[in-house]
Amino acid sequence: MKKRLQKSRYISGFDGVRTLAVVGVILYHLFPYNMKGGFLGVPIFFVVSGYLITDLLLQEYEQNGTIDIRAFYARRMKRLYPALLTMVLTTAAFITIFARASLGKLRDVIINNVFYVYNWFQVANHESYFDKFGNQSPFTHLWSLSIEGQFYLFWPIIVILLLKFVHSRQTNFDIVLISAFVSAIWMIILFSPNQDPSRIYYGTDTRIFSILLGAALAFLWPSTKLKKNLQSGPRLFLDGLGLGSLLLIVWMFFTMDGENDLLYLGGMFFFSLLAMLLVATIAHPGADIDRLMSNRVFSWIGKRSYGIYLYQYPIMIFYEQKSSNLADHPILNAVIEIALILVISDLSYRFLERPLQHFDYSRTFKVLKEVCVKDSPYGWKRIWAVAATLIVAVAAWGAIDEPRASVSNGDSTTLQNVIDHNSQEAKQKNKVVSSQKKAQAKSNSAASSQKQEQSQKKTQAKAESVDKNGKYVLTDAERKQAQQLPVTAVGDSVLADASQTMQGLFPQMYVDAKVGRQVREAIPILQDLIRKGKLSDTVLLSLGTNGPFTDNDMEQIMHLLGPKRQVYWINVQVPTKRWQDQVNQALVSAKKKYSNLHVIDWHSYSQNHPEWFYSDRVHPNVDGLPYFVNFVTHEMLK
């Protein structure tokens, strides 16, 4: 078979780069607080893609005097669409049958992924890439494929225009490099400290610089025109440059946090430059980095890296949703998940991606007709056609059924409604607490006071209803003490769930609770409360549900609160997340360091009572809430 591009060469080291990238991404999703910067595998994919696509387009233009854009689109679609559509539709079908709580917006998800604009859908819907606890979407990771799809759509046209009107490769390099700088600067401009960076993380405008850096490199570093034989000096220089870039990339995998301000103030651009340097040294046949990044394992993983990236997230999401002991056996579960990802990706590569990449789609209807006839030459392979038809039908059913299903998710929706209701009640109560602290404040209307009193009595009675089997029954003295104690409470959805009942027992409690809140997000909140004079001498923290924290996070929080305030921190019960023990152990260590820090061991107290929780096994339900509130109250007052 005649080569399409006569001078093109296969660079095996790029399989090693893809392996590095996809391993980083998977380990980040499995251990987001150990492999902190593993998400940076995506910029590596971007740089490699930008370089290879541009290099091939330049080869085609040089060989043929033009670029066949339609053929380019056809090749990209045949390579990418089969696996993408299979993953999206199969996942949609799985959700429809086994995970209906995730049906919301399923139709929009499918459509936006088909047209490669899903990243902008995520931006428009304010989806967070960094919320590791909420009802996570198995499609979250597809934002990067949308950016690449948008690049593939416009880039061949831009390359033709550059080659037609700008004949100097150096000038073309400069233009593309400046465009990358503009994108990076735009990221810096849009970045807001102490806010979720997902907008700039998902945006094509703020992430395209990684692809453009690879594309710029192709203009000055064409793979077919690099010398195979180099003198020892240049060769050692390239090897040192490549090895240094590789080591820095691995180091940043372990140290660069996705919510670190530095990342969005030039850090990600710097990382992309490192990836560009690594790509440059691998592409050069006179250097040794290509051989360093080439072996059978890297080749196997690299060739399947697209499928591995595609399937990894839904496999993890669905596996972890069904796992009941994730926190008890994090390594074992991770090994099982990785094995599932590799097996499914290999099957996809062998029986889907490679065959359909070379399939003659002009024969589609003919093949379908042959499959349906009685004496079909495809025999048992018709099973695949039946399976595909069923998957498409079930996915379509889920997309159509979505509006009704999304409002009837049972336990999940009940919990969400409770949290939303209690959060609103807490905000109203906060206003009352704030006004009570001001001497000139007027009393509430009689009707409002009566309603508030009735609510307090109702929730208080519920909280005191554990006297039959509960250890901690509040005495009259404890109730009176709680009513007189000013408390400032900051937390995540667990506190939001309990806020109304807590404020029934602590009328002077100020609550700031938010779903998905990370520990570090409490720092600016505490600073603001101190500035406004709303921070009491007794502070209750309910944080860690959504992920662990660093020693620096703890140090900043305790420094803000100071040694005179009494700080009560409720540890976490999140058996479905790997970081449960990490958070609780960190709190035990911090307690030894700070004499005014008291850890409320809710985890141990609730360990053998699954009936106290909603189906997520994290948030206390109606029956469990009195146990939670009474236990926390007793621990604060004892």
Side-chain angles (χ1 to χ4, degrees):
M1 183 177 177
K2 186 179 179 181
K3 287 178 64 176
R4 185 177 64 86
L5 299 174
Q6 298 303 310
K7 295 182 179 180
S8 65
R9 64 186 182 91
Y10 185 79
I11 305 172
S12 58
F14 284 151
D15 285 332
V17 178
R18 295 187 185 100
T19 299
L20 175 68
V22 79
V23 167
V25 171
I26 288 180
L27 291 181
Y28 170 73
H29 288 152
L30 288 173
F31 305 103
Y33 302 97
N34 300 103
M35 182 66 79
K36 299 178 182 178
F39 63 93
L40 291 170
V42 174
I44 296 178
F45 278 127
F46 282 170
V47 173
V48 172
S49 180
Y51 176 79
L52 287 177
I53 292 299
T54 307
D55 189 48
L56 291 172
L57 290 174
L58 293 177
Q59 288 182 48
E60 182 177 354
Y61 188 86
E62 185 177 78
Q63 176 179 294
N64 303 329
T66 186
I67 295 174
D68 188 339
I69 296 180
R70 289 182 60 185
F72 173 82
Y73 291 157
R75 288 193 301 273
R76 289 289 84 199
M77 291 180 69
K78 289 172 70 174
R79 175 65 186 96
L80 303 176
Y81 255 116
L84 175 64
L85 292 179
T86 299
M87 175 267 171
V88 170
L89 294 177
T90 303
T91 302
F94 184 94
I95 288 173
T96 302
I97 299 174
F98 300 108
R100 296 184 68 80
S102 302
L103 269 179
K105 300 178 182 176
L106 182 60
R107 182 169 56 247
D108 291 335
V109 168
I110 295 173
I111 293 172
N112 280 279
N113 274 297
V114 168
F115 289 100
Y116 281 122
V117 291
Y118 185 58
N119 63 316
W120 290 114
F121 171 82
Q122 291 170 297
V123 170
N125 286 273
H126 306 287
E127 294 185 8
S128 174
Y129 184 77
F130 301 100
D131 181 1
K132 301 301 177 188
F133 180 78
N135 188 24
Q136 293 175 280
S137 167
F139 305 103
T140 298
H141 64 308
L142 298 183
W143 66 271
S144 63
L145 300 184
S146 288
I147 291 180
E148 291 219 38
Q150 294 158 37
F151 170 72
Y152 297 147
L153 178 62
F154 295 107
W155 189 241
I157 300 171
I158 294 173
V159 169
I160 289 176
L161 293 175
L162 287 173
L163 295 175
K164 289 283 187 183
F165 297 102
V166 183
H167 301 293
S168 168
R169 287 208 172 198
Q170 176 66 58
T171 305
N172 285 328
F173 169 83
D174 294 340
I175 291 172
V176 179
L177 187 63
I178 290 171
S179 301
F181 272 115
V182 171
S183 173
I185 292 171
W186 184 233
M187 171 181 275
I188 294 172
I189 292 173
L190 291 185
F191 176 71
S192 297
N194 300 320
Q195 291 187 13
D196 190 315
S198 293
R199 155 61 185 96
I200 56 177
Y201 190 89
Y202 288 136
T204 307
D205 53 342
T206 50
R207 296 302 302 272
I208 196 67
F209 60 78
S210 299
I211 299 180
L212 292 179
L213 286 175
L217 176 66
F219 281 100
L220 286 188
W221 205 261
S223 63
T224 57
K225 296 184 178 181
L226 300 172
K227 295 180 180 180
K228 293 183 179 180
N229 299 314
L230 289 177
Q231 294 181 352
S232 60
R235 178 179 172 181
L236 288 175
F237 174 77
L238 285 177
D239 289 346
L241 191 65
L243 186 60
S245 301
L246 177 62
L247 293 175
L248 280 173
I249 285 171
V250 173
W251 177 74
M252 291 181 75
F253 271 1
F254 285 97
T255 59
M256 183 57 75
D257 194 312
E259 295 177 87
N260 189 321
D261 292 359
L262 182 62
L263 183 69
Y264 306 99
L265 298 175
M268 195 175 294
F269 184 78
F270 173 72
F271 182 88
S272 299
L273 282 174
L274 291 176
M276 183 182 76
L277 294 176
L278 180 61
V279 166
T281 56
I282 289 175
H284 203 297
D288 300 303
I289 303 300
D290 179 41
R291 290 187 289 277
L292 175 67
M293 298 298 290
S294 300
N295 57 61
R296 290 185 177 182
V297 175
F298 285 178
S299 178
W300 192 92
I301 296 176
K303 286 180 171 61
R304 292 156 180 80
S305 59
Y306 176 59
I308 292 172
Y309 183 84
L310 265 181
Y311 299 112
Q312 43 113 9
Y313 214 58
I315 291 172
M316 291 178 190
I317 295 294
F318 296 137
Y319 178 87
E320 293 176 11
Q321 284 179 353
K322 303 301 179 182
S323 175
S324 59
N325 63 343
L326 200 65
D328 295 333
H329 306 285
I331 302 300
L332 174 62
N333 284 295
V335 170
I336 294 173
E337 289 177 65
I338 291 173
L340 289 172
I341 292 167
L342 293 179
V343 169
I344 292 174
S345 301
D346 183 55
L347 292 174
S348 173
Y349 179 74
R350 291 172 183 270
F351 300 109
L352 180 72
E353 297 170 50
R354 282 180 61 84
L356 292 184
Q357 183 178 358
H358 303 289
F359 179 69
D360 182 1
Y361 282 86
S362 64
R363 299 181 60 246
T364 301
F365 291 105
K366 181 181 179 181
V367 170
L368 290 175
K369 184 177 179 180
E370 291 177 351
V371 167
C372 296
V373 300
K374 183 177 180 181
D375 299 323
S376 171
Y378 292 94
W380 66 269
K381 293 182 180 179
R382 285 181 291 185
I383 296 174
W384 293 105
V386 174
T389 302
L390 287 174
I391 288 172
V392 172
V394 174
W397 171 37
I400 295 170
D401 196 42
E402 159 209 311
R404 181 178 64 81
S406 62
V407 296
S408 58
N409 295 333
D411 199 24
S412 177
T413 300
T414 300
L415 171 59
Q416 187 61 54
N417 291 339
V418 168
I419 291 176
D420 292 342
H421 171 75
N422 289 346
S423 296
Q424 291 301 318
E425 290 290 323
K427 290 179 181 178
Q428 294 300 319
K429 179 64 178 176
N430 287 344
K431 295 178 182 178
V432 175
V433 173
S434 298
S435 64
Q436 287 175 345
K437 291 183 178 181
K438 299 178 181 179
Q440 71 274 21
K442 297 180 180 180
S443 62
N444 293 335
S445 66
S448 176
S449 297
Q450 185 177 4
K451 182 179 180 181
Q452 179 184 330
E453 185 177 352
Q454 290 173 349
S455 176
Q456 288 180 8
K457 287 181 179 179
K458 183 178 179 181
T459 55
Q460 191 171 342
K462 186 183 289 185
E464 296 162 14
S465 65
V466 299
D467 55 345
K468 294 179 181 179
N469 299 309
K471 260 183 171 180
Y472 303 109
V473 180
L474 299 181
T475 64
D476 291 339
E478 285 178 321
R479 288 196 299 271
K480 185 176 180 180
Q481 185 182 355
Q483 290 171 359
Q484 297 174 352
L485 183 65
V487 179
T488 300
V490 177
D492 48 36
S493 57
V494 174
L495 180 63
D497 178 26
S499 58
Q500 187 177 15
T501 309
M502 290 293 297
Q503 287 179 315
L505 285 173
F506 293 88
Q508 298 186 60
M509 175 180 283
Y510 181 95
V511 177
D512 189 319
K514 176 189 173 185
V515 175
R517 177 171 286 163
Q518 299 282 347
V519 174
R520 70 179 54 187
E521 294 179 55
I523 296 171
I525 293 169
L526 294 172
Q527 291 172 332
D528 187 60
L529 290 172
I530 292 172
R531 182 176 58 83
K532 293 178 178 178
K534 293 183 178 180
L535 195 64
S536 304
D537 290 336
T538 301
V539 177
L540 176 66
L541 299 176
S542 177
L543 297 162
T545 303
N546 302 293
F549 50 87
T550 65
D551 292 339
N552 183 55
D553 294 332
M554 173 61 75
E555 186 176 341
Q556 288 188 65
I557 289 173
M558 295 307 297
H559 176 74
L560 280 171
L561 298 177
K564 294 183 179 180
R565 289 188 175 89
Q566 295 303 307
V567 183
Y568 299 88
W569 197 313
I570 307 170
N571 69 6
V572 298
Q573 168 69 9
V574 276
T576 58
K577 298 298 178 183
R578 292 180 174 85
W579 56 75
Q580 172 188 270
D581 294 344
Q582 185 179 346
V583 169
N584 292 341
Q585 289 167 7
L587 288 174
V588 171
S589 299
K591 180 182 177 181
K592 298 176 182 178
K593 184 176 181 180
Y594 303 99
S595 60
N596 62 325
L597 174 62
H598 313 278
V599 178
I600 299 176
D601 193 3
W602 167 243
H603 171 72
S604 296
Y605 181 58
S606 64
Q607 183 70 17
N608 298 317
H609 295 282
E611 73 277 7
W612 290 357
F613 297 92
Y614 285 99
S615 59
D616 66 357
R617 302 182 64 198
V618 175
H619 298 86
N621 57 24
V622 176
D623 296 326
L625 198 56
Y627 290 91
F628 175 83
V629 173
N630 256 15
F631 177 69
V632 171
T633 302
H634 178 85
E635 290 294 293
M636 291 177 65
L637 300 179
K638 71 180 182 180

